[in-house]
Amino acid sequence: MNNDSKKRSSFSSKLGFILSAAGSAVGLGNIWRFPYLAAKYGGGIFLLVYLLLVLTFGYTMIVAESAIGRMTKKSPVGAYRHFGKDWMFRAGGWMNAVIPLLIVPYYSVIGGWVLKYLVAYCHGEAQALAADSYFSGFISSGLPVELWFLLFALTTMGIIYMGVQNGIERVSSFMMPLLVVLAAVIAVYSMSRPGALAGVRYFLVPDLSRFSWMTVVAAMGQMFYSLSIAMGILVTFGSYMKDDFSIESATENVETFDTMIAILAGLMIIPAVFAFSGGDPGVLKAGPSLMFITMPKIFASMGFGTGAGIIFFLLVFFAALTSSIALSESAVSTCEDEFGWSRKKASIIVAAVMLLLGTLSALGYGPLAMVRVVGMQFLDFFDFLTNSVMMPLAAMATCLLVVRVIGVDRIAEELMKNGAKFRRRRVFNFMIKYLCPFFVAIILFSSVASVLGWISI
Ligand code: PFF
């Protein structure tokens, strides 16, 4: 992508940018990860902290990354190097670029779970899937999990290898609206179950007594993940952006869309948890399994459970697939750019890394359950390593680059090109200079402290 002699591709319209950024932003993070974190870390208070962070911290990072991309017309490693050659710039660029390579393997394991559920619904197993022990039985089964993971991973890599993302983008542009409609229908159904209102209250009304540091740490990690911040994606997208689009308004659109879908997913899942378990704290803290346990119960209680299950998991599958393609694409293009590898070689090496690391995560709840990395199973460990350690470091690097090297005024110039407005300039300046680095330091400290057993996550 840093091949300047070729004309760099660009988004033809602002809508193209927004749809692509939203397509990569909306994925398992919104539908699977957000609801279980919200359930676990305090409900309404988590949502409030999350919204505040998206509007301030998230906004600042999206603006900064897109502006860096558009200024340099390069993907992250090249973009960082554009500003300086010493090791700090290199490390900052690489930190951003390596994260997708570590996320995509475990992302594909969960993609494999989704695929398994989709196929099981197609076989009419709606009742069996709703049984309490189905999910735990499945994820600890070893080989089947590995096979579903392989199927998902190979689909992703096959598409990358053939370079047909455009087709997928076209598919996702009608899948995404469909996902919204379906999520809204399921959310209404879920909220109308007896006992569900307590769940709506738990999710929407902040209760200060449920606040803890972990609420902030988890909300911040989720914000990075969901908005695809601090993983080089937005630098790359920014580099495809034409000068006459307003970065600020594109950022606002992406934030709104991504957050809306996360809230909708929360409204689908959390009230259902209350309806089926009465808000049992054990279930609320179920973690990664929440979507796979709760949704089948809702579907089983609906008259048209099999159909709903098929459509729901099909849409989640598409959201996951478009995201995993974006993640792998970024890993592949970094390898092509930086090592001069052919697309074929880069795809094969990325696929090999993905299969190796993904296998650890796929088997981590089954045959490898006794192996723990800093007290965690592989999947949880990779999630923790990227979200709680590497992304904060990458975000810190971006803050330092903007404040110390580029200067906030040059970012403002970039944003105001062609007369575009930069309404939240003061918020941006304050956040990037003071609060973002401070927050990032907090996440890092909490993560390290939890690994050392000083605090518990
Ligand atoms: N933001 C995606 C999600 O919420 O599932 C995860 C992700 C996808 C991150 C694609 C980065 C990316 F390029």
Side-chain angles (χ1 to χ4, degrees), residues 24-30 103 107 222 224-228 231 233 258 322-324 326-327 330:
S24 107
V26 174
L28 291 170
N30 307 60
I103 293 186
Y107 203 85
Q222 173 60 14
F224 283 129
Y225 193 97
S226 190
L227 294 173
S228 314
M231 38 184 122
I233 304 286
D258 189 72
T322 49
S323 290
S324 87
L327 284 162
S330 116

Side-chain angles (χ1 to χ4, degrees), residues 52-67:
L52 288 175
L53 286 171
V54 167
L55 289 173
T56 53
F57 195 169
Y59 161 81
T60 303
M61 295 308 298
I62 300 182
V63 165
E65 291 187 22
S66 318

Side-chain angles (χ1 to χ4, degrees), residues 316-396:
V316 177
F317 169 65
F318 267 95
L321 189 64
T322 49
S323 290
S324 87
I325 288 168
L327 284 162
S328 320
E329 174 65 35
S330 116
V332 168
S333 69
T334 302
C335 294
E336 284 179 294
D337 287 355
E338 296 308 316
F339 305 129
W341 294 346
S342 66
R343 184 164 187 89
K344 184 171 167 196
K345 182 171 175 190
S347 313
I348 291 174
I349 292 180
V350 167
V353 173
M354 190 165 158
L355 295 187
L356 183 74
L357 297 184
T359 298
L360 294 178
S361 293
L363 303 182
Y365 290 112
L368 298 181
M370 63 303 167
V371 187
R372 301 269 166 150
V373 193
V374 288
M376 286 174 252
Q377 271 145 339
F378 283 109
L379 193 150
D380 302 82
F381 169 71
F382 284 118
D383 192 60
F384 173 81
L385 176 70
T386 46
N387 281 273
S388 306
V389 182
M390 295 180 73
M391 290 190 206
L393 281 172
M396 183 70 101

